């Protein structure tokens, strides 16, 4: 039932009592809410649960709820008083008349805290005749008051009132996801995906390798030892304990060294012993192709054997150290005579030294580089060291004769041969210190090559020709290989084999101080005209040897057996060879020619002139310097000249050297020239 009071039905005294009653009721409700809030703050109900309610963890939070509760309570009481006054001024039954701007002002913030807004009450509902006329059982509906809790939004930085505790909780409660993000970078890194596209897809089925060089897949190969009693070893070197196996013994091969010089054999009747034997001493025959191999592959190819490591109980054989960065220590850069350098200068080449005539007379030897020292001999019988950066003289060492042979450097020691004399020098920065000086049996005929503690050099002509091996640490300890009957070229060094070219071509065991073991002699190569070149791994064989004869023919041989697999005729004298991954580069007869390592087919020919020292190569470029001072940088793939603009106005007596971006050229006008390529 609806009661609509009129203004005259309620006396002023009753109206005043009603206002007081409502005000008291509202105040009690507000104070009760504040008390509940105070209890919640003090007991931690406003926060996330904590492991303990010990009071000692609360002091840090006490100022926040105390100040806020006090301020909020004061503000709420102000709003309550305002609402009570407003109610007191209302006319019963009339709507609340509160302008919009006043309502907005009541909600504005003060000191960074939004004041609580007390909603205006709706029209009062009562009996028409006043309270005394209310029907029994009916109740006058009290004023409905809604209180909105304060909201704190972005308090100013300068305010002294801290932000509400519940506004701080997201920052404190969830720091881990933000901090942990840098700790889990792996899923975003692409590295694990990189190896996948680089894996050779044909690995499982073996179709891609050339038929003559299949992938090693393990298993066994049947073989027979050579027709003479054969010395075998417990490890892949003749430094290990040896025993003898009778001729023509059947064996099974179960592994090899990476270059295939040695194979692991077993299964001699009545013994379970395994042993290592040189590949040249076994005849592999009567084998079948393994499953998945190309139908035209060679079933007797030792490439099918898996690489095996020697017994771990054996003392490892010594291995040579690498060439220091930017050094050029030997006549053909490395002990394999490959002419393959880590890099070549980029075009265009520009002259970089301004120092000229560093010697009293013209230079007559190839150039070598060791650290900051550029080394070459002059016809004034002096051996010079020039500064790599400026070209100025660092020191000079007097010789009793000049030499056209390239110096050799190992472990910072310089080895030089002139006539019959040999010297070992220590570069001391501004001087050279003599370590030892010794004599050869005859005049030197080749530059030094170096393997570990051994120097190898050709000495003598005709019937006096020989290869001399000298201990670096004791030059009086020597061995000589006397079979050559002609000038010995600079030998090439393989894994544990040294290749000697003269009137014939020989492969000797590198451990010449243990025994002078001739591994093989080529039946096809005579009168070697240029230093042989060794390469492993090969393209057709596990290890390959390239050698030129005096008739202008290049021979490609299996370095482990001496078997020839192609020849290429240049049609003129050959002075040097160089090799990269795909090609053999032949210098001679005024041209530079590239032929395929696979079959010897001609790839291109470029007329350049007489090449001094030999080509220097990478997989992408070839560099040659000619006797007349021409400098040519060519594309290795097609022979196109990339840079031929530079030319030294002098005769070039020996091979150049490369040091990083720098090209160094000796000349007969007393100057070593330096050219630098683009970065």
């Amino acid at each position: 039932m609806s009661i609509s009071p009129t203004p005259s039905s309620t006396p002023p005294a009753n109206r005043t009592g009603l206002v007081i009653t409502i005000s008291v009721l509202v105040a009690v409700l507000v104070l009760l809410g504040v008390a509940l809030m105070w209890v919640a703050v003090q007991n931690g109900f406003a926060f996330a649960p904590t492991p303990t309610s010990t009071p000692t963890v609360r002091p840090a939070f006490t100022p926040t709820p105390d100040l806020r509760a006090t301020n909020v309570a004061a503000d709420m009481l102000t709003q309550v008083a305002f609402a009570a006054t407003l109610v007191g001024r209302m006319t019963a039954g009339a709507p609340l008349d509160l302008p919009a701007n006043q309502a907005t002002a009541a909600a504005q913030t003060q000191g960074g805290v939004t004041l609580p807004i007390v909603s205006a009450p709706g029209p009062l509902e009562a009996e028409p005749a006043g309270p005394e006329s209310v029907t029994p059982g009916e109740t006058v509906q009290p004023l409905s008051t809604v209180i909105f809790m304060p909201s704190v939004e972005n308090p100013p930085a300068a305010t002294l009132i801290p932000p509400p505790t519940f506004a701080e909780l997201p920052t404190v409660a969830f720091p881990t996801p933000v901090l942990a993000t840098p700790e889990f970078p792996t899923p975003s890194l692409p590295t694990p995906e990189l190896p996948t596209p680089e894996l050779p897809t044909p690995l499982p089925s073996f179709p891609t390798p050339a038929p003559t060089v299949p992938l090693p897949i393990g298993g066994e190969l049947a073989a027979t030892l050579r027709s003479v009693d054969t010395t075998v070893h417990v490890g892949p070197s003749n430094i290990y304990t040896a025993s003898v196996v009778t001729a023509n013994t059947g064996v099974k091969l179960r592994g090899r060294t990476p270059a295939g010089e040695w194979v692991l054999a077993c299964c001699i009747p009545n013994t379970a012993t395994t042993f290592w034997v040189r590949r040249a001493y076994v005849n592999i025959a009567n084998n079948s192709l393994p499953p998945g191999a190309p139908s035209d592959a060679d079933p007797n190819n030792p490439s099918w054997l898996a690489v095996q490591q020697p017994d771990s109980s054996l003392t490892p054989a010594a291995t040579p150290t690498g060439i220091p960065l930017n050094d050029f220590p030997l006549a053909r850069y490395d002990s394999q005579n490959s002419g393959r350098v880590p890099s070549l200068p980029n075009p265009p080449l520009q002259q970089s030294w301004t120092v000229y005539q560093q010697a009293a007379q013209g230079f007559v030897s190839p150039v070598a580089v060791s650290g900051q020292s550029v080394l070459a001999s002059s016809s004034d019988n002096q051996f010079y060291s020039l500064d790599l950066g400026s070209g100025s003289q660092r020191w000079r060492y007097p010789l009793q004769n000049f030499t056209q042979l390239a110096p050799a450097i190992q472990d910072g020691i310089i080895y030089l041969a002139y006539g019959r004399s040999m010297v070992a020098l220590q570069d001391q920065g501004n001087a050279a210190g003599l370590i030892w000086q010794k004599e050869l049996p005859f005049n030197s005929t080749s530059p030094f090559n170096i393997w570990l503690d051994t120097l190898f050099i050709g000495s003598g002509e005709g019937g006096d020709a020989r290869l001399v091996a000298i201990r670096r640490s004791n030059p009086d300890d020597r061995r000589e290989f006397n079979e050559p009957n002609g000038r010995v070229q600079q030998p090439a060094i393989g894994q544990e084999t040294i290749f000697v070219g003269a009137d014939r071509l020989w492969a000797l065991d590198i451990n010449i101080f243990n025994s002078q073991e001739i591994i093989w002699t080529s039946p096809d190569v005579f009168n070697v005209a240029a230093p042989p070149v060794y390469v492993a791994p090969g393209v057709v064989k596990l290890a390959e040897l390239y050698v030129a004869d005096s008739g202008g023919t290049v021979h490609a041989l299996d370095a482990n057996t001496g078997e020839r697999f192609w020849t290429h005729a240049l049609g003129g004298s050959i002075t040097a060879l160089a090799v990269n991954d795909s090609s053999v580069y032949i210098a001679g007869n005024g041209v530079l020619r590239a032929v395929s390592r696979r079959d010897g087919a001609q790839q291109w020919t470029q007329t350049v002139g007489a090449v001094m020292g030999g080509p220097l190569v990478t997989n992408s470029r070839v560099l040659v310097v000619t006797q007349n001072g021409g400098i040519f940088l060519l594309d290795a793939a097609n022979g196109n000249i990339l840079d031929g603009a530079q030319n030294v106005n002098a005769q070039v007596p020996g091979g150049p050297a490369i040091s990083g971006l720098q090209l160094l050229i000796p000349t007969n006008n007393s100057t070593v020239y330096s050219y630098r390529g683009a970065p």
Side-chain angles (χ1 to χ4, degrees):
M1 168 172 137
S2 176
I3 301 175
S4 300
T6 62
S8 60
S9 64
T10 304
N14 291 342
R15 188 183 310 164
T16 300
L18 178 61
V19 170
I20 292 173
T21 301
I22 293 173
S23 299
V24 171
L25 178 62
V26 171
V28 170
L29 291 175
V30 171
L31 291 176
L32 180 59
V34 171
L36 291 175
M37 185 182 300
W38 171 266
V39 172
V41 170
Q42 290 296 318
N43 288 275
F45 297 130
F47 303 97
T50 59
T52 177
S53 59
T54 305
T56 54
V57 300
R58 304 306 303 169
F61 300 94
T62 301
T64 301
D66 285 351
L67 291 175
R68 191 164 305 282
T70 301
N71 292 334
V72 170
D75 291 334
M76 291 180 65
L77 288 175
T78 302
Q79 294 290 340
V80 169
F82 172 75
T85 303
L86 182 64
V87 171
R89 294 178 179 177
M90 288 173 43
T91 301
L96 175 65
D97 185 14
L98 181 65
N101 61 340
Q102 293 183 21
T104 302
Q108 288 180 343
T109 62
Q110 298 180 10
V113 180
T114 303
L115 297 177
I117 304 302
V118 181
S119 67
L124 294 174
E125 294 183 350
E127 290 290 337
E132 66 276 8
S133 63
V134 174
T135 304
E138 291 186 347
T139 305
V140 177
Q141 297 296 325
L143 293 173
S144 174
T145 303
V146 180
I147 302 175
F148 294 96
M149 295 302 295
S151 173
V152 178
E153 297 180 356
N154 301 323
T159 182
L160 297 177
I161 300 175
T165 303
F166 51 79
E168 296 175 351
L169 285 177
T171 303
V172 176
F174 303 98
T176 302
V178 176
L179 295 176
T181 301
E183 299 177 6
F184 301 95
T186 303
S188 62
L189 292 176
T191 304
E193 301 177 2
L194 289 178
T196 302
E198 296 177 358
L199 290 175
T201 54
L203 276 177
S205 57
F206 315 103
T208 298
T212 52
V213 187
L215 291 174
I217 60 172
E220 295 180 343
L221 292 177
T224 304
L225 293 182
R226 61 183 178 173
S227 58
V228 297
D229 291 353
T230 300
T231 301
V232 300
H233 299 267
V234 298
S237 171
N238 75 7
I239 67 171
Y240 296 119
T241 303
S243 58
V244 176
V245 179
T246 57
N248 302 314
T249 299
V251 296
K252 292 182 179 179
L253 306 182
R254 289 183 170 176
R256 60 177 174 85
T257 56
E261 285 190 2
W262 294 80
V263 290
L264 180 65
C266 74
C267 310
I268 295 176
N270 302 319
T271 178
T273 303
T274 60
F275 55 86
W276 290 87
V277 60
R278 281 201 171 269
R279 164 67 183 92
Y281 300 162
V282 297
N283 177 33
I284 305 174
N286 303 319
N287 291 283
S288 301
L289 286 172
S295 59
D296 57 349
D298 178 8
N300 300 309
N301 195 320
S303 298
W304 295 115
L305 297 171
V307 174
Q308 296 285 351
Q309 298 299 320
D311 192 319
S312 59
S313 65
L314 298 174
T315 301
T319 56
T321 57
I323 297 174
L325 183 65
N326 296 329
D327 275 13
F328 196 99
L330 298 167
R332 296 298 293 138
Y333 178 69
D334 56 27
S335 62
Q336 295 79 43
N337 294 340
S338 71
R340 182 169 181 169
V341 293
S343 62
L344 287 170
N346 299 313
L349 298 174
Q350 300 292 333
Q351 192 168 337
S352 59
W353 283 354
T354 58
V355 177
Y356 301 97
Q357 295 185 332
Q358 298 111 329
Q361 297 181 32
F363 287 95
V364 292
S365 78
V367 177
V369 179
S370 175
Q372 290 299 305
S373 189
V374 178
L375 304 162
S377 295
S378 167
S379 59
D380 62 6
N381 296 343
Q382 302 280 334
F383 181 62
Y384 287 87
S385 168
L386 309 177
D387 183 75
L388 179 63
S390 65
S392 59
Q393 184 182 132
R394 300 173 75 240
W395 51 260
R396 61 181 182 174
Y397 185 84
L399 306 174
Q400 288 77 39
N401 200 348
F402 68 88
T403 178
Q404 295 177 305
L405 301 176
I409 302 102
Q410 179 71 38
D411 303 322
I413 308 299
I414 304 162
Y415 300 94
L416 186 64
Y418 53 97
R420 293 180 59 183
S421 296
M422 302 177 295
V423 293
L425 304 175
Q426 176 71 59
D427 190 337
Q428 298 174 344
N430 59 358
L434 178 65
I435 298 175
W436 52 255
Q437 181 170 352
K438 298 295 178 178
E439 295 294 314
L440 287 166
F442 301 96
N443 286 342
S444 53
T445 59
S446 78
F448 284 111
N449 207 340
I450 305 175
W451 184 79
L452 298 176
D453 188 41
T454 305
L455 299 169
F456 293 98
I457 190 170
S459 175
E461 299 278 357
D464 295 327
R466 64 202 61 203
L467 177 75
V468 182
I470 305 162
R471 292 283 195 193
R472 293 198 297 137
S473 57
N474 179 11
D476 293 323
D477 188 4
R478 306 181 188 184
R479 300 292 186 275
E480 295 182 2
F481 176 64
N482 296 321
E483 288 205 17
N485 192 26
R487 185 184 183 94
V488 175
Q489 299 289 332
Q490 176 171 312
I493 297 174
Q495 301 300 297
E496 289 213 3
T497 305
I498 183 167
F499 303 94
V500 183
D503 57 310
R504 299 283 300 273
L505 177 65
W506 295 268
L508 308 179
D509 192 294
I510 194 71
N511 298 286
I512 198 169
F513 284 88
N514 290 352
S515 66
Q516 291 190 24
E517 181 181 351
I518 300 175
I519 301 167
W520 55 257
T521 302
S522 172
D524 304 310
V525 181
F526 299 90
N527 301 319
V528 176
V533 176
Y534 172 87
V535 187
V539 172
V540 178
K541 305 295 183 180
L542 285 172
E544 296 167 0
L545 188 74
Y546 301 96
V547 61
D549 64 27
S550 59
T553 299
V554 176
H555 304 257
L557 309 175
D558 183 334
N560 296 326
T561 64
E563 175 190 358
R564 185 174 65 183
F565 56 93
W566 60 253
T567 61
H568 179 90
L570 179 68
S573 62
I574 296 173
T575 59
L577 304 174
V579 177
N580 66 8
D581 283 353
S582 60
S583 305
V584 179
Y585 298 90
I586 308 168
N589 205 31
V591 303
L592 179 67
R593 176 174 293 179
V595 300
S596 168
R597 284 182 60 186
R598 182 166 297 283
D599 56 13
Q602 179 177 331
Q603 296 171 323
W604 53 262
T605 300
Q606 184 67 258
T607 300
V608 291
V611 176
M612 301 306 295
L616 300 176
V617 303
T618 65
N619 274 340
S620 60
R621 294 197 292 278
V622 184
L623 176 75
V624 294
V625 176
T626 68
Q627 187 176 32
N628 292 328
I631 305 171
F632 297 96
L633 194 61
L634 304 96
D635 189 311
N638 53 36
N640 292 340
I641 296 176
L642 304 175
D643 189 346
Q646 298 295 338
N647 187 82
V648 293
N649 295 318
Q651 293 289 300
V652 177
I658 292 293
S659 179
L661 298 177
Q662 211 164 341
L663 167 64
L664 303 150
I665 304 171
T667 68
N668 68 350
N669 68 354
S670 308
T671 302
V672 173
Y673 289 87
S674 172
Y675 291 84
R676 184 172 290 275

